[in-house]
Amino acid sequence: MTTEKKAEKKPEYIKVEIARPRAYKWSSGKYLGKLYKEALENRKLVTNRCPKCKQLLWPPAGVCGRCNVEAGEDWVVMSGEGTVLQYTYLVFPLWDPHYGDRLANPYPTATIKLDDGVFLVHFLEEKDPEKLKNVKRVQAVWKEEGRGRGLGDILYFRTIDE
Amino acid sequence: MGNRVAIVGIGQTYHKSNRKDVTQPEMVAEAVRAALTDAQMKPKDVEAVFTSNMETFEGMYLPDHMMVDEVGAFMKPGLKVNTGGTTGASVVEEGFHFVASGLFDTALVIGFEKQDCGDTTAAITAAVTPVWGKGVATGAIGEFAKQALTYMQKTGAKEEHAAMIRLKADKGACKNPYAHLKLGLKSIEEVLNSGYLVWPLRLLDFCPQSVGACALILASEHKAKKITKKPVWIADVVTVHQEPFRAGSFGDPTGTEEYSQDIAAERLYKRNGITNPTKDICMAEIYEPSNWEEMSHYEHYHFCEKNEGWKMVEKGITEMEGAFPVNPSGGVIATNPIGATPTIRVAEAALQVRGDAGEHQVTRDVHTAMATALGGPNWTVVTLLKRSL
């Protein structure tokens, strides 16, 4: 097996910098397209239902993987309210590797169970670590600008006082 | 079952955060040379070469084509495999299947990653469907942070228990010549004083980004007995794939979904007549990106009852001298060259079976060992090794 060897004379090792921006164009398809359209135009969260087991598919999809049947067009408008199951926040800032933005702390994200029964991961408005401990019920707040990004049209989830 | 297959050669590189002195193929060649030396074989003795890493982590598609010469694969058959985090175990399974089928008598399997060339978090985040969920993902660490929180809330485990695991790992790493982080930690307070990265994970609660490679040589029964006096038999490999949990990538906060770890372990134990895992198996090398994850895995691999993983830590059962040692190598939290990480789990478990682990050889006699791999999302590969079949 190998161990690290120290070179007698320091050789010239070079790191070749390759800064290569990449552009992609992903297709939403019919089902996710509907989610994008409803979010953009009507500020509504929609998904479709399996005709056989009647469960909500999430994200909206063309097939129900559990029943192996074609899902179809039984669309449901969801409430946009839910309960926080898990959350975390950045203590140390990160970089968004795709857009190059700095993800400044605390950048709280949570796994949220919507009242309709589906789960999503999204941002929380609450940024105080102590108050985050008690965040339970939340509701979607829609963005005013930079829309057209599906779930990204939701700015964050705001605490509902109950 | 097919023909019997043994591990006859084991090689790994040392691990660091950064290696400017080698290219990726040159680094991989170090592990290959070490495995060939261990088996006392020459490149011409290897019939087929199988490689694996996290494709595109270094920004390159088909990285195997540039290392054909360095790994001795010129004009030989072979495949490149990528199954996410489990890939380094999948490549062992791939070699195992080919040799067990009788198609080849010898196969070289390699896991590698040179993370200093790329951006791992960017690559992991790119596993998120761009038209879905993009922008919220913060790589692997955010997912494991949320899981740590759920584990704490569900089981009553304290940060002290996670710190004990970190101490145990460091103790092993300091004795392992190939480990990356060797911190010389003295007390759990040192762990508890390290700053939070992504709450509730501290700097010392999470694995590093390592650069390194691991190679194994597999051989059929008649070849293996000619090559070495100490073959380590691959008794079984079980892979279970599952879609991501509906509510998370690696963990289920709802407590309602089935874990691929449970299913893989149950299948492995049933097929191999294992009724009491920590008695019938002598030690395990598991894939734990964080110390919290290790406690959770104890439960999912049925090393203890549900919600009691932290008690195993408290009792010292999984220490190097304990009744069921886990990760005496220092584990993933000390060394994580992602594509090589599961190959290292198999390699380290095999070294324990051979009795060749050196300073981190466990006290208990190891006739049977288990290696696990976690990948993504929510995929599991478990490998069972034996001294004799």
Side-chain angles (χ1 to χ4, degrees):
Chain A
M1 300 202 184
T2 61
T3 48
E4 186 173 5
K5 291 193 189 94
K6 296 284 178 218
E8 284 173 18
K9 189 182 160 208
K10 199 173 180 186
E12 291 186 21
Y13 297 136
I14 294 166
K15 280 271 186 187
V16 183
E17 293 277 343
I18 298 175
R20 183 170 50 185
R22 294 181 178 186
Y24 298 99
K25 296 179 188 70
W26 279 67
S27 311
S28 70
K30 183 165 74 169
Y31 296 93
L32 274 169
K34 172 91 167 172
L35 174 113
Y36 270 65
K37 188 172 186 296
E38 289 292 334
L40 177 64
E41 294 178 359
N42 303 317
R43 303 186 180 212
K44 280 180 180 163
L45 269 182
V46 300
T47 196
N48 58 343
R49 193 191 292 278
C50 169
K52 195 172 172 193
C53 68
K54 305 291 179 194
Q55 287 199 18
L56 292 184
L57 301 172
W58 184 250
V63 294
C64 173
R66 309 260 159 174
C67 303
N68 280 318
V69 295
E70 201 171 332
E73 301 272 349
D74 183 5
W75 288 95
V76 177
V77 178
M78 298 192 290
S79 74
E81 293 189 3
T83 307
V84 170
L85 292 182
Q86 286 181 321
Y87 72 96
T88 182
Y89 56 88
L90 298 184
V91 178
F92 194 82
L94 285 177
W95 295 91
D96 179 331
H98 292 284
Y99 302 110
D101 300 332
R102 186 168 176 270
L103 306 181
N105 50 351
Y107 194 79
T109 57
T111 304
I112 298 160
K113 183 178 186 181
L114 294 183
D115 292 348
D116 306 87
V118 305
F119 300 93
L120 52 81
V121 176
H122 219 287
F123 306 109
L124 295 177
E125 179 188 31
E126 182 58 68
K127 291 186 169 52
D128 182 329
E130 279 308 308
K131 288 186 182 161
L132 273 169
K133 287 180 184 166
N134 300 317
V135 173
K136 283 277 169 268
R137 296 285 301 156
V138 290
Q139 124 188 67
V141 175
W142 294 88
K143 264 184 198 167
E144 293 303 325
E145 286 171 17
R147 297 164 58 80
R149 291 185 166 204
L151 275 191
D153 286 0
I154 296 172
L155 185 60
Y156 43 54
F157 280 76
R158 174 173 288 163
T159 311
I160 307 174
D161 294 316
E162 287 183 337
Chain B
M1 287 295 281
N3 299 325
R4 290 176 171 182
V5 181
I7 297 168
V8 297
I10 302 170
Q12 45 176 317
T13 62
Y14 63 89
H15 293 87
K16 284 181 78 173
S17 298
N18 207 316
R19 280 193 67 184
K20 282 189 277 193
D21 60 318
V22 282
T23 63
Q24 196 170 37
E26 288 164 358
M27 176 192 77
V28 173
E30 290 179 8
V32 172
R33 250 177 243 133
L36 287 167
T37 305
D38 183 50
Q40 296 185 301
M41 287 168 72
K42 298 238 177 315
K44 67 173 172 53
D45 304 326
V46 173
E47 290 176 38
V49 180
F50 301 94
T51 53
S52 73
N53 82 324
M54 305 291 276
E55 198 139 322
T56 75
F57 269 34
E58 291 86 4
M60 192 180 166
Y61 168 60
L62 288 180
D64 46 319
H65 84 70
M66 67 174 166
M67 56 185 67
V68 165
D69 293 349
E70 277 84 353
V71 302
F74 185 65
M75 294 296 168
K76 285 181 189 171
L79 289 169
K80 163 76 172 42
V81 62
N82 180 9
T83 63
T86 45
T87 197
S90 299
V91 77
V92 178
E93 182 179 17
E94 192 179 33
F96 169 59
H97 285 170
F98 271 100
V99 177
S101 76
L103 196 59
F104 305 121
D105 274 323
T106 52
L108 171 65
V109 300
I110 309 162
F112 63 92
E113 210 72 67
K114 200 160 184 306
Q115 295 192 73
D116 58 342
C117 300
D119 183 338
T120 298
T121 294
I124 292 182
T125 308
V128 177
T129 318
V131 283
W132 186 250
K134 198 165 168 178
V136 183
T138 48
I141 191 164
E143 286 301 315
F144 289 115
K146 283 186 285 187
Q147 257 177 267
L149 174 66
T150 301
Y151 188 79
M152 249 181 256
Q153 291 171 339
K154 192 177 71 167
T155 67
K158 301 271 183 293
E159 284 199 292
E160 283 74 14
H161 297 111
M164 286 178 207
I165 295 252
R166 191 64 190 84
L167 266 189
K168 169 177 81 68
D170 190 50
K171 205 174 101 188
C174 286
K175 293 181 174 182
N176 177 357
Y178 309 104
H180 178 183
L181 294 182
K182 299 160 182 273
L183 303 170
L185 297 172
K186 300 273 187 301
S187 67
I188 58 171
E189 283 71 31
E190 279 181 77
V191 183
L192 296 175
N193 286 336
S194 79
Y196 288 112
L197 272 184
V198 176
W199 189 85
L201 283 186
R202 296 175 184 278
L203 175 65
L204 290 180
D205 289 338
F206 208 60
C207 55
Q209 293 189 354
S210 314
V211 165
C214 180
L216 300 175
I217 296 168
L218 311 183
S220 61
E221 187 169 11
H222 72 275
K223 276 272 181 188
K225 286 177 177 166
K226 283 181 197 157
I227 294 168
T228 177
K229 288 196 175 72
K230 292 196 273 190
V232 177
W233 302 100
I234 301 179
D236 204 356
V237 185
V238 173
T239 293
V240 175
H241 288 175
Q242 194 193 0
E243 64 198 325
F245 294 108
R246 308 274 170 195
S249 292
F250 294 104
D252 170 33
T254 69
T256 56
E257 302 216 38
E258 278 183 309
Y259 274 72
S260 62
Q261 282 118 311
D262 289 88
I263 295 165
E266 283 159 21
R267 221 171 266 175
L268 184 83
Y269 298 160
K270 195 175 172 201
R271 283 207 321 211
N272 294 279
I274 291 163
T275 49
N276 184 345
T278 56
K279 191 167 155 284
D280 300 340
I281 302 170
C282 312
M283 62 84 60
E285 276 283 338
I286 66 172
Y287 194 133
E288 32 57 86
S290 88
N291 40 8
W292 290 97
E293 198 65 13
E294 179 163 334
M295 291 186 272
S296 164
H297 282 202
Y298 290 171
E299 299 170 18
H300 290 297
Y301 291 125
H302 303 214
F303 299 159
C304 62
E305 296 297 320
K306 291 285 176 230
N307 302 328
E308 294 192 349
W310 55 277
K311 291 186 185 168
M312 284 190 94
V313 187
E314 219 171 52
K315 292 176 190 158
I317 294 169
T318 54
E319 297 277 343
M320 215 180 286
E321 310 79 18
F324 185 73
V326 176
N327 290 10
S329 66
V332 184
I333 203 166
T335 313
N336 192 10
I338 305 184
T341 298
T343 323
I344 296 173
R345 304 277 73 70
V346 178
E348 285 290 341
L351 286 173
Q352 293 286 345
V353 173
R354 278 189 0 189
D356 286 346
E359 274 192 74
H360 64 288
Q361 181 72 41
V362 304
T363 311
R364 183 174 172 181
D365 177 54
V366 182
H367 55 72
T368 306
M370 178 172 165
T372 79
L374 159 88
N378 192 27
W379 289 9
T380 297
V381 181
V382 287
T383 308
L384 190 70
L385 303 177
K386 288 190 173 183
R387 191 180 290 154
S388 57
L389 280 179

